[in-house]
């Protein structure tokens, strides 16, 4: 699926975790309109990577269910830290990288 085929709803459905789906909606709602195309392009790129990985993910799922091991060439690694970081409040990540995510423009919660 090319970037032009994505809608916010399709992106929302393509994301595998509730935290990433919520972050998409937050980004769409809090991003200034002039910056929205770039933000949506970033989300579309992430969704395309996930879609491309879907066959490998399904193969790993089937292998684990059937044999209890991952297929050759796939290794497990603990990504809990990254997931928790990415699922955390957006403003914390923005401040870490020197971004405000539009909140300096009166777009944060009152």
């Amino acid at each position: 699926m090319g970037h032009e085929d994505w809608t916010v709803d399709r992106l929302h459905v393509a994301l595998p975790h509730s935290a990433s789906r919520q972050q998409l909606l937050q980004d769409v709602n809090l991003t200034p309109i002039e910056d929205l195309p770039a933000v949506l392009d970033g989300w579309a790129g992430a969704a395309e990577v996930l879609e491309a990985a879907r066959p490998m993910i399904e193969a790993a799922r089937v292998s684990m269910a059937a044999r209890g091991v991952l297929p050759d060439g796939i290794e497990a690694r603990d990504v809990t830290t990254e997931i928790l970081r990415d699922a955390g409040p957006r403003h914390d990540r923005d401040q870490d990288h020197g971004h405000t995510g539009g909140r300096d423009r009166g777009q944060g919660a009152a």
Side-chain angles (χ1 to χ4, degrees), residues 1 16 26 35 47 64 71 74 87-88 92:
M1 181 177 288
Q26 182 178 353
D35 298 334
M64 284 299 293
I74 298 177
D92 292 343

Side-chain angles (χ1 to χ4, degrees), residues 31-105:
T31 297
I33 289 175
E34 63 272 8
D35 298 334
L36 199 51
V39 168
L40 290 173
D41 280 345
W43 279 105
E48 288 170 0
V49 168
L50 287 169
E51 289 294 313
R54 184 179 304 275
M56 181 183 64
I57 293 167
E58 290 304 318
R61 187 173 303 172
V62 168
S63 180
M64 284 299 293
R67 302 179 328 183
V69 297
L70 290 170
D72 291 338
I74 298 177
E75 58 184 73
R77 67 180 179 97
D78 185 355
V79 294
T80 304
T81 302
E82 290 90 350
I83 290 170
L84 291 174
R85 180 198 64 225
D86 292 346
R90 179 69 171 204
H91 62 36
D92 292 343
R93 291 194 314 269
D94 290 339
Q95 289 172 356
D96 291 343
H97 294 95
H99 298 102
T100 61
R103 285 172 186 77
D104 287 352
R105 300 177 207 177

Side-chain angles (χ1 to χ4, degrees), residues 12-50:
H12 190 265
V13 170
L15 296 170
H17 298 85
S18 61
S20 58
R21 291 189 296 269
Q22 184 62 36
Q23 188 60 56
L24 166 69
L25 297 177
Q26 182 178 353
D27 286 354
V28 167
N29 287 313
L30 296 178
T31 297
I33 289 175
E34 63 272 8
D35 298 334
L36 199 51
V39 168
L40 290 173
D41 280 345
W43 279 105
E48 288 170 0
V49 168
L50 287 169

